[in-house]
Amino acid sequence: MQLRHAARVSARILLAHRLRTVLSAFSIFLGVAALVLSVGASEAARRDVMSRIAALGSNVLTVDAGNFMTMGRHLVQTRMTRTLKPGDAEALLRTFPAIVRVSGVVRGTVVVSWRSRSETVSLLGVTPSFLAIRKLRVARGRFFTAEENRGMARVAVLGGRLADDLFGSYNPVGERIRLQGAPFRVVGVTEEKGLGLGGETLDGAVFVPLRTATERVLNRGWLDSIVCQLRDSSAVRRLPPAMAMVLRRHHRIRPGRDDDFTINDPAKILAMEYQTGEMFRSLTAAVAGVSLATGGIGILAVMLMAVRERVNEIGLRRAIGARRRDILIQFLGEAVLLSGMGGVAGAVVGLAGTAAVCAVLGWPTLLPWRGTGEGLVFSLALGVAAGVYPAVRAARMAPVTALRAAG
């Protein structure tokens, strides 16, 4: 029997039992779809984390006011303090040669308006060093200067998305905006960077000099955080204990008392985020394996049932000259076709699901062709493994025995 003819016969038989065919292939479909999705999502997440670490820098440490704990991709504050001051940033820069840049950061929520348009946005009070530390680029205009920070100048730099929302195609540089009703002059616009640490974005924020923020906008003397850029990434592990000693001395914290600050390594937090995601993706892959195994057992059961139902057909074909090899190829082909149908459908859905997940989460779109190929090969191999025993059983059936059993 030619393979093409055997394939046509197998397809007709499977179509004649549509419900059984669909139910048998469904577990293979689920398993391959879950496998492709888990592989694609894992690789897309890895690339996203790597790109965010590269954008943030692996040589950055953040000192946050209060105490924090990491929950997934977010830092959750468990205790708020007001003891982190601009002098702490200066002390760290003076004390440690490994720290090349520091910037105090204060955050708030303000209403920014221009003409008849207004937006409620995040305000960041920072020093000029923040631009280099966070690897921001100015798309138009400039960033504010150290002199403007010392003089508490009313100047502002807009995030790229905020500039588009507020000004549209109009160039905002040189325009007057109002922050909480106070006039500010726009001196620059930053390039859009997308999501950063913890899923936040700076694209929709407005930046003002640190002293302007603390003295003229938010009216407060403490910082939310200090970002430190180190000379190289090797100092990231060894420096935090020494930094903590300096800050404890500045804050006059007695021995045995808890710190009123938290030193975080943003790259480490991103890596923890990736590991958390990997746990869920590993669970998805395990579910895919169980589903594929269940599908293989289902195909085995269906093919054994087919052998029992088609004893008459087997006897007649053997009686008119069909060889055992023909019977073997016929039943094995049906099992492979059954698993292949489920595998192809699962691969298509898995690829579409991967693209959808990447689009929703803002990850770089990545289609796991290698994982898809492996899933298809595995599904076909599973079909062969599940079909071998029923096919051999059918091929070994003697014509007289088959006809007698059928009668």
Side-chain angles (χ1 to χ4, degrees):
M1 178 185 290
Q2 294 181 351
L3 291 177
R4 184 180 300 177
H5 177 68
R8 284 200 300 267
V9 173
S10 298
R12 283 200 300 269
I13 292 172
L14 292 177
L15 289 174
H17 302 85
R18 291 182 179 85
L19 181 60
R20 189 166 69 185
T21 299
V22 170
L23 292 177
S24 302
F26 189 67
S27 292
I28 300 292
F29 160 77
L30 285 181
V32 173
L35 181 65
V36 172
L37 184 59
S38 64
V39 170
S42 177
E43 181 60 22
R46 186 189 69 81
R47 292 192 182 185
D48 176 64
V49 169
M50 293 301 104
S51 65
R52 286 160 62 190
I53 289 177
L56 183 66
S58 59
N59 59 335
V60 174
L61 287 174
T62 302
V63 182
D64 294 299
N67 300 116
F68 291 77
M69 62 182 298
T70 305
M71 295 185 65
R73 62 187 295 169
H74 298 284
L75 283 176
V76 179
Q77 190 172 36
T78 58
R79 176 189 171 204
M80 184 178 71
T81 62
R82 299 181 176 181
T83 54
L84 199 63
K85 301 295 178 67
D88 295 328
E90 297 168 5
L92 291 175
L93 185 61
R94 286 196 311 268
T95 305
F96 300 104
I99 298 178
V100 293
R101 294 185 183 93
V102 296
S103 175
V105 180
V106 294
R107 299 178 180 86
T109 302
V110 297
V111 175
V112 55
S113 56
W114 177 70
R115 295 181 180 175
S116 61
R117 301 180 185 178
S118 64
E119 297 272 349
T120 300
V121 301
S122 296
L123 176 136
L124 273 78
V126 297
T127 67
S129 299
F130 186 83
L131 186 73
I133 295 173
R134 292 301 303 268
K135 297 188 176 180
L136 293 172
R137 293 183 179 179
V138 176
R140 285 178 285 185
R142 61 176 178 84
F143 211 68
F144 42 79
T145 65
E147 289 74 15
E148 288 170 327
N149 180 48
R150 286 192 293 269
M152 296 181 289
R154 294 185 184 272
V155 292
V157 175
L158 305 181
R161 194 187 69 223
L162 175 59
D164 291 339
D165 293 343
L166 204 60
F167 289 87
S169 59
Y170 191 83
N171 186 2
V173 176
E175 290 294 309
R176 296 281 178 175
I177 61 173
R178 289 188 172 272
L179 298 179
Q180 301 294 79
F184 277 74
R185 180 168 56 90
V186 177
V187 296
V189 177
T190 63
E191 289 184 359
E192 294 193 30
K193 285 194 64 173
L195 295 179
L197 176 64
E200 93 287 355
T201 177
L202 300 177
D203 298 335
V206 55
F207 305 90
V208 300
L210 178 62
R211 292 200 62 196
T212 305
T214 56
E215 302 291 337
R216 291 188 166 182
V217 182
L218 302 176
N219 297 316
R220 45 180 272 198
W222 69 91
L223 304 177
D224 290 301
S225 61
I226 299 171
V227 288
C228 307
Q229 184 180 37
L230 310 186
R231 195 173 304 279
D232 53 67
S233 56
S234 63
V236 169
R237 292 185 178 180
R238 59 180 173 82
L239 208 57
M243 291 171 59
M245 291 179 61
V246 171
L247 293 173
R248 285 179 65 89
R249 187 165 61 248
H250 266 245
H251 296 181
R252 298 179 181 178
I253 300 174
R254 296 177 181 177
R257 301 289 297 273
D258 292 336
D259 295 339
D260 57 4
F261 55 87
T262 304
I263 301 176
N264 293 303
D265 176 2
K268 184 178 180 181
I269 294 170
L270 287 172
M272 290 175 63
E273 171 192 331
Y274 174 68
Q275 291 171 3
T276 302
E278 278 296 282
M279 293 174 60
F280 289 100
R281 287 183 282 274
S282 297
L283 180 62
T284 304
V287 171
V290 172
S291 183
L292 285 170
T294 304
I297 295 172
I299 291 175
L300 175 62
V302 166
M303 295 308 300
L304 287 172
M305 187 185 304
V307 171
R308 288 195 298 269
E309 290 176 351
R310 294 158 60 187
V311 169
N312 188 26
E313 174 196 331
I314 296 169
L316 288 174
R317 290 178 60 185
R318 292 283 285 124
I320 62 176
R323 295 168 297 178
R324 288 185 174 181
R325 186 180 67 180
D326 298 329
I327 303 298
L328 179 70
I329 292 174
Q330 181 67 56
F331 280 87
L332 194 58
E334 289 178 25
V336 172
L337 187 59
L338 192 60
S339 63
M341 290 166 55
V344 170
V348 171
V349 171
L351 289 172
T354 300
V357 168
C358 291
V360 170
L361 298 180
W363 292 344
T365 302
L366 175 70
L367 298 181
W369 298 112
R370 180 177 177 180
T372 302
E374 291 173 350
L376 288 174
V377 170
F378 188 76
S379 68
L380 293 175
L382 194 62
V384 172
V388 165
Y389 175 68
V392 170
R393 184 173 177 178
R396 288 181 176 177
M397 196 175 294
V400 175
T401 304
L403 289 172
R404 186 182 298 121

